[in-house]
Amino acid sequence: MHILLTGGTGLIGRALCRRLVADGHQLTVWSRRPDQVPALCGAQVQGIASLQQLDQQPLDAVINLAGAPVADRPWTAKRKAVLWASRVSLTEQLVEWLGQQTHKPGVLVSGSAVGWYGDGGDQVLTEQSPPHLEYTHTLCDAWEAAARRAGSFGIRVCLLRTGLVLAPDGGFLSRLLLPFKLGLGGPIGKGAQYMPWVHRDDMLGIIMQLLLNPDAQGPYNAVAPNPVTNREFARTLGRVLKRPALLPLPAPLLKLGLGEMSRLLLTGQCAKPEKLLEQGYQFKFGQLETALKDVINH
C-alpha cells in the first residue's frame, strides 16, 4: 500500500515507519522537517513539506499521528493555541485535502487520546462511556470531529484514544527513570488516579489491525487491558529498577508549578480496550511489569 503518515518523526511514528517499510509498504511522511525524514524514518521513506507535493498521487491509507507534546510545558493560552493547531487545524487541513483528491484512500487512522474522557475517577471506561467535560475532552473531541469528516468522502475512519506509551527511546517514562533510579520516585498526589498505559509494540500492532481490518471504524481505546493506579505504577517501576518508590509528589506543589496542566498528572482514566478485544486483538504486553522490564532492558 501507499501510506501517508503524519507525525512520522515522533515516538510512535519512528517505530511505525520501520514496521511499515519492513512489511513492504510505500511510505510518505508529511513533516515540518522533511529533510530529516530519511534519517529518522528510513532511507526508503519520502518526506514532504506540503500535501500539494502528493496531489493526485493515489493513496491507499492515511495514518495521522501529528500533535505537539501535551505535557511538555504549562497550558498557557499560547501553548493551547499550539496544541490546537497541531491537532485540530492540521487534521482539518488534511481531511480537506483528501476530499479534493480524485482517488480517495480507503482508511484514515487518526490520533486522539484517553484524555477524551476527562477525569474518569475509578469508573471503568469503554468506548461507549460518556466524557467528563474539561480541557482535554474539548481538545480531543474537536480533533476526532475533524477526522470523522473524512467519512463523508467514503473513507473509513478509526480513532486512536491512546494512553501513556511505554517506549525505550523517549516519552513520559524517560522522564521518570532518573528520579526512580536515584530512589526519589513515588506516587503523584494521592496516587489513586488511574494510568492507562500501552507498550509501543502493541501500539504498532493496534494501528496495523485498524489499518487492515475493513470492519474497524470509530473510536478505539489504544491501551493495555490492565490499567493501574499511579501508586501501583510507581511501585511496579520501583520493583523493576530495584529501588524504593516511596517519596510522594504533593498535589499542591504540582498545581502551583503547572497550573491547569497538573490535572494530567492528578487525574486519570481506568480505560479498557473493549472494542480491540472484541475484534480479536491479542496484546503482546498485557501486564505492566512485563512491559516495563522489556522497555527498560532495551
Side-chain angles (χ1 to χ4, degrees):
M1 290 193 296
H2 183 194
I3 300 171
L4 173 65
L5 173 64
T6 76
T9 60
L11 183 71
I12 300 170
R14 294 192 303 271
L16 182 60
C17 285
R18 294 190 290 270
R19 170 73 179 269
L20 292 170
V21 169
D23 287 352
H25 298 292
Q26 178 189 351
L27 185 60
T28 300
V29 171
W30 180 27
S31 172
R32 290 173 299 162
R33 302 181 297 275
D35 54 315
Q36 297 181 19
V37 166
L40 293 172
C41 302
Q44 310 97 315
V45 181
Q46 177 190 11
I48 58 171
S50 167
L51 290 172
Q52 281 62 47
Q53 292 174 250
L54 279 180
D55 270 347
Q56 304 311 325
Q57 292 187 38
L59 288 172
D60 299 296
V62 178
I63 305 172
N64 177 34
L65 303 179
V70 75
D72 269 19
R73 60 198 71 175
W75 293 340
T76 61
K78 183 178 180 181
R79 185 60 181 172
K80 285 184 176 181
V82 170
L83 297 176
W84 188 276
S86 66
R87 286 167 172 75
V88 183
S89 301
L90 182 143
T91 302
E92 289 174 340
Q93 181 183 351
L94 172 63
V95 170
E96 181 181 4
W97 177 81
L98 290 174
Q100 296 168 356
Q101 304 309 298
T102 302
H103 179 94
K104 309 279 194 303
V107 58
L108 167 63
V109 178
S110 193
S112 183
V114 290
W116 184 90
Y117 299 102
D119 180 13
D122 57 5
Q123 177 187 359
V124 174
L125 301 173
T126 72
E127 291 84 357
Q128 302 301 318
S129 300
H132 177 267
L133 300 183
E134 56 183 295
Y135 172 67
T136 56
H137 169 73
T138 300
L139 177 64
C140 290
D141 196 49
W143 193 7
E144 291 187 8
R148 287 182 194 273
R149 293 186 191 115
S152 65
F153 305 130
I155 300 171
R156 178 170 60 88
V157 178
C158 297
L159 303 164
L160 294 163
R161 291 180 180 167
T162 307
L164 299 164
V165 179
L166 302 180
D169 55 347
F172 86 103
L173 184 61
S174 65
R175 303 173 195 173
L176 296 179
L177 285 180
L178 180 58
F180 270 80
K181 285 179 178 179
L182 294 174
L184 301 175
I188 297 173
K190 295 180 179 180
Q193 66 275 29
Y194 273 87
M195 296 178 65
W197 59 274
V198 64
H199 190 290
R200 186 170 63 182
D201 285 359
D202 276 315
M203 195 68 218
L204 303 186
I206 290 166
I207 291 171
M208 295 305 298
Q209 173 149 319
L210 300 185
L211 195 69
L212 300 174
N213 178 5
D215 296 324
Q217 61 180 343
Y220 286 81
N221 289 342
V223 296
N226 296 295
V228 297
T229 64
N230 175 261
R231 184 180 296 105
E232 291 173 294
F233 188 98
R235 287 174 179 167
T236 305
L237 181 56
R239 187 163 60 247
V240 169
L241 294 173
K242 297 180 173 59
R243 295 289 190 275
L246 302 173
L247 294 176
L249 184 56
L253 189 62
L254 273 176
K255 291 176 182 177
L256 181 64
L258 300 178
E260 185 183 7
M261 196 183 81
S262 65
R263 289 188 60 78
L264 272 183
L265 302 174
L266 297 172
T267 64
Q269 300 84 21
C270 184
K272 297 289 189 76
E274 183 176 75
K275 285 177 65 177
L276 285 170
L277 295 174
E278 287 176 351
Q279 294 178 5
Y281 182 76
Q282 296 184 353
F283 282 84
K284 185 177 179 181
F285 295 95
Q287 300 296 331
L288 178 63
E289 186 161 347
T290 306
L292 286 173
K293 284 180 178 177
D294 180 80
V295 168
I296 290 169
N297 288 338
H298 278 81

